[in-house]
Amino acid sequence: MAEIIYLNGRLVPRSEAKLSVFDHGFLYGYGLFETMRAYNGRVFRLDRHLTRLYRSAEILGLASRLAAFDLETACLEILQANELKEARLRLTVTAGEGDMTPDPGTCSSLTVLVTAKNLVPLPPQKYELGFRAALSSVRRNSQSPLSRLKSSCYLDNILARMEAKAVGADEAILLNERGHLAEGSTSNIFVVSKGMLITPSLESGVLPGITREAVLEIAQASNIKTVERQVELRELTEAEEAFITNSILEIMPLTWFGGKAIGTSGLGKLTKDFIAAYRKLVNETRGKMA
């Protein structure tokens, strides 16, 4: 079956999906995106993803034109059109076609694109072993509004991932311009110290992750003491446990950093509890979706 794409209000075969070479998303990275995970044919926490997208669109001056699109329906239709149950989705919004010069006022209509692919999760053994991470030379600018947007200006993240891959790591860890822990190249980060859950605050220049939000909710419901603040790099190296989060990985233990073990270099108890609680949350939602 030919892959179906949602583009500007229409479902079309991938071979027929065309974008202008003068799209400002292509020319200048003037756009936003959301990466989402579908379970049983429905997108998990779609409302949270769309809320984040609309808030970001307000900052970029795209929100008024974005209101013309039914993004929730678009995400559901793309799953149905491709007959997907377990899937990875990407929703992309750009300023659309404009002049060659970087003047957003020349962009008359948005580009809205939704794509979806079948998702095969990582095997359970990977969650037992955890990810290895390396420190990136790339720094997150906590003073930039882009640090809290899922922007299509993604080169910092790509460069960080390239560095990690070059040394055999699964993920790159970025500090901010003050040398405090920020986030992974595609993830938020949590550390466990003395039974307390610690994560960099949004003021540290991190993306307000949807899975990050879910973990904080689980911690509150479980009466686990949680702190959002500036985090020193040594707190990661000295942590009892650590894990990273994103919508595709869910919760992945971080067991090695910079060639050294974190804690016992295995799946920690609190991390294991969070993984179980998150999957319970997913399964409860999956049941409601059936």
Side-chain angles (χ1 to χ4, degrees), residues 230-272:
Q230 292 182 349
V231 182
E232 302 291 339
L233 179 59
R234 63 170 178 77
E235 294 183 74
L236 173 59
T237 60
E238 297 172 1
E240 298 161 9
E241 304 175 34
F243 59 86
I244 57 175
T245 62
N246 69 32
S247 293
I248 304 302
L249 291 173
E250 301 178 335
I251 297 172
M252 174 61 71
L254 199 59
T255 52
W256 290 82
F257 175 68
K260 296 181 180 179
I262 296 176
T264 61
S265 75
L267 176 58
K269 181 184 181 305
L270 196 58
T271 303
K272 185 176 182 179

Side-chain angles (χ1 to χ4, degrees), residues 118-145:
N118 184 57
L119 176 67
V120 179
L122 292 174
Q125 295 88 336
K126 189 60 180 177
Y127 288 85
E128 292 287 338
L129 294 173
F131 267 17
R132 293 172 175 261
L135 183 65
S136 174
S137 64
V138 178
R139 293 291 179 265
R140 185 68 76 223
N141 180 4
S142 67
Q143 303 306 303
S144 170

Side-chain angles (χ1 to χ4, degrees), residues 10 18 84 131 134 142 154 164 200-201 209 233 259:
R10 296 177 57 232
K18 310 296 182 183
L84 294 172
F131 267 17
S142 67
Y154 216 60
S201 62
L233 179 59

Side-chain angles (χ1 to χ4, degrees), residues 95-110:
E97 182 178 11
D99 287 350
M100 189 184 300
T101 56
D103 180 1
T106 65
C107 300
S108 59
S109 60
L110 302 182

